[in-house]
Amino acid sequence: MLSSSLLLTSSCELDIPNPNAASDIEVLNSREGLIGLSVGLRQYYSTSGIEAAYLYPGVTSRELKGVATFTNVLELEAGGTALPTFNGNILGLWSRMQRTMNISQQILENAPNVPSLTGGMRSGILAQAHLFKAMALGTLAMAFEQANTETSITENVTFKPRQEVFAEAISHLNQGIALIEATPTSQEFRNQVTGQFFNVENTLYAMNARFNLFAGNYQAAINNADKVNLSVMSEYDYSDQSINPIYNTISILKYFRPRDNFGLPNSLFYEGDAREEFYLTGPIDIVDGDAVRSLAGFFDNQTERIPVYLPDEMKLIKAEAILRSNGSLVEALALINEVRTQQTGDPFGVNAGLPPYTGLVTRDALLLEVYRQRSAELYLTGMRLEDSRRFGRPGPPESFIERNRNFYPYPDQERLTNPNTPEDPEI
């Protein structure tokens, strides 16, 4: 089973009981309690969740270099068979997604039973819980060959192949979308739960496009990408009390450094790509033979907001889906060039400023171009490892240049408490 300690803690975290805090029963059976838990769910994922989801796969896919001398960082940087099952970072990634799922499940199970939770507040709270459960499931499916889709502290959960985990994530997104399409979220929900920066509706469509692409459901990916309003920004916001976790880990704790050229081999990096100046700053340093920089973009101070998704991801999703479903090369190329040639106008300021594509107009050549554009546009968003495998990039054991693992081993803490834990992948 998933132990209560695994559900309630992640690496480097302690939950100390507060005798003045409301009981679980009071929280889960009251309107105010569920509103507060919904706020906490979003805040937890925006800090602890994305720290693990973005940074640790970022090291594995060579976007970042582990530079701290802590054992868990050195193991993650080495990858391969040097990454043990007791690595603290892998436990952190696993346990934080489990905790996100558990909180989401509590909301989904209890919110329908509170009579005073009605209308757009009810649909918003439920839709957001579906959203964050889907995001946690999708993150697990990107990192592990198999994962559970439900959590439990009393029973041994079962594992499912990652394609089924993606399918479960998509199911939750579809349920969330159905809720808000039937009953749009209320202004009260937006004021009290999401705040002014996080947009549940557009994020549901964006994540549905993302995970349908990963699952090979290409028309569904296109359909959902088309529903995203590209002018609407959805962001994780931070404060002096709840700080930007990527900035904190890289610039304050100094565990990792961004690799020069987005960590791409020279054959995949475009000189003059303006996104390099957006995301990376400072002089090049050489650390153990690797060129590293300092981080800028959405990670340059402790209160900098981080986009939940970028508008141009939707264009690249559509281009890839068109190509993989043997659609129009002309249409896919037009979408690629919209991303390549953009010099102004991106809501977040991520503009490539490159000339139009002049290479071969074939399915394989354009798919490689989509990968190059995703690697720059979506830098440090936790998707490079998934992309590297999906696009058939060289990987271990033959090559460690673009990624040093294919999938992660399962944490010892899970295996010790759950006999259903699968065998670890070789590498």
Side-chain angles (χ1 to χ4, degrees), residues 244-261:
N244 182 310
I246 312 302
Y247 169 81
N248 182 61
T249 303
I250 291 182
S251 298
I252 302 300
L253 300 177
K254 301 185 185 300
Y255 290 171
F256 311 107
R257 295 277 303 270
R259 294 176 183 268
D260 193 34
N261 296 353

Side-chain angles (χ1 to χ4, degrees), residues 17-63:
N18 176 2
N20 298 314
S23 69
D24 287 348
I25 293 176
E26 290 174 310
V27 169
L28 297 174
N29 289 278
S30 72
R31 186 177 192 274
E32 293 73 19
L34 285 165
I35 289 173
L37 189 60
S38 298
V39 172
L41 170 62
R42 178 177 52 80
Q43 291 179 337
Y44 177 78
Y45 193 83
S46 70
T47 51
S48 296
I50 69 166
E51 179 190 22
Y54 290 10
L55 293 180
Y56 308 157
V59 175
T60 303
S61 60
R62 319 311 267 170
E63 293 175 297

Side-chain angles (χ1 to χ4, degrees), residues 364-416:
D364 288 345
L366 291 180
L367 279 171
L368 179 60
E369 181 62 20
V370 169
Y371 178 74
R372 297 173 79 170
Q373 292 305 313
R374 286 181 64 90
S375 295
E377 185 77 21
L378 308 178
Y379 176 71
L380 211 56
T381 57
M383 290 185 281
R384 176 79 67 85
L385 179 59
E386 175 69 29
D387 288 355
S388 179
R389 292 190 308 260
R390 191 172 73 260
F391 283 88
R393 299 301 306 165
E398 291 79 13
S399 174
F400 285 69
I401 294 173
E402 296 187 40
R403 64 178 188 269
N404 66 23
R405 287 282 306 196
N406 295 321
F407 291 97
Y408 291 133
Y410 302 98
D412 278 352
Q413 189 168 341
E414 179 69 25
R415 188 173 300 283
L416 289 169

Side-chain angles (χ1 to χ4, degrees), residues 195-424:
Q196 62 178 311
F197 300 112
F198 190 88
N199 186 283
V200 167
E201 291 84 350
N202 275 276
T203 304
L204 281 163
Y205 291 128
M207 294 301 124
N208 218 5
R210 177 185 294 180
F211 293 143
N212 270 294
L213 177 72
F214 296 167
N217 305 324
Y218 300 127
Q219 191 57 54
I222 292 169
N223 292 345
N224 279 279
D226 280 337
K227 293 179 181 179
V228 178
N229 185 335
L230 301 186
S231 66
V232 172
M233 302 164 72
S234 185
E235 302 169 281
Y236 302 118
D237 63 303
Y238 302 98
S239 66
D240 292 338
Q241 289 73 44
S242 178
I243 67 175
N244 182 310
I246 312 302
Y247 169 81
N248 182 61
T249 303
I250 291 182
S251 298
I252 302 300
L253 300 177
K254 301 185 185 300
Y255 290 171
F256 311 107
R257 295 277 303 270
R259 294 176 183 268
D260 193 34
N261 296 353
F262 307 122
L264 292 170
N266 290 336
S267 61
L268 296 180
F269 176 74
Y270 284 111
E271 293 291 342
D273 191 328
R275 292 168 295 195
E276 182 184 30
E277 292 184 4
F278 179 86
Y279 284 115
L280 305 176
T281 189
I284 296 174
D285 297 322
I286 304 298
V287 177
D288 297 330
D290 294 318
V292 296
R293 304 275 300 277
S294 296
L295 197 58
F298 308 114
F299 320 111
D300 62 354
N301 68 74
Q302 67 178 13
T303 59
E304 185 74 39
R305 294 190 297 275
I306 299 175
V308 185
Y309 61 88
L310 288 170
D312 281 350
E313 181 189 354
M314 300 303 110
K315 299 176 184 178
L316 293 172
I317 284 173
K318 291 197 291 184
E320 181 181 344
I322 289 167
L323 292 167
R324 293 194 186 278
S325 57
N326 296 315
S328 167
L329 299 181
V330 173
E331 186 178 354
L333 177 58
L335 288 162
I336 291 168
N337 276 331
E338 284 183 33
V339 177
R340 279 184 60 103
T341 62
Q342 187 171 19
Q343 299 192 34
T344 61
D346 184 87
F348 294 100
V350 186
N351 301 293
L354 291 168
Y357 175 82
T358 58
L360 293 174
V361 182
T362 64
R363 177 181 174 276
D364 288 345
L366 291 180
L367 279 171
L368 179 60
E369 181 62 20
V370 169
Y371 178 74
R372 297 173 79 170
Q373 292 305 313
R374 286 181 64 90
S375 295
E377 185 77 21
L378 308 178
Y379 176 71
L380 211 56
T381 57
M383 290 185 281
R384 176 79 67 85
L385 179 59
E386 175 69 29
D387 288 355
S388 179
R389 292 190 308 260
R390 191 172 73 260
F391 283 88
R393 299 301 306 165
E398 291 79 13
S399 174
F400 285 69
I401 294 173
E402 296 187 40
R403 64 178 188 269
N404 66 23
R405 287 282 306 196
N406 295 321
F407 291 97
Y408 291 133
Y410 302 98
D412 278 352
Q413 189 168 341
E414 179 69 25
R415 188 173 300 283
L416 289 169
T417 58
N418 185 0
N420 293 329
T421 305
E423 292 298 315
D424 292 317

Side-chain angles (χ1 to χ4, degrees), residues 2-15 44-45 48-53 56 87-103 136 139-140 143-144 147-148 151 408-414 417:
L2 290 171
S3 69
S4 58
S5 61
L6 181 57
L7 286 174
L8 297 178
T9 66
S10 64
S11 58
C12 305
E13 292 180 336
L14 292 174
D15 284 302
Y44 177 78
Y45 193 83
S48 296
I50 69 166
E51 179 190 22
Y56 308 157
N87 179 268
N89 292 124
I90 302 309
L91 173 60
L93 176 59
W94 179 266
S95 63
R96 294 179 196 191
M97 295 308 110
Q98 300 294 333
R99 185 174 183 181
T100 300
M101 289 166 60
N102 182 251
I103 299 171
T139 298
L140 290 173
F144 297 92
N148 55 304
T151 63
Y408 291 133
Y410 302 98
D412 278 352
Q413 189 168 341
E414 179 69 25
T417 58

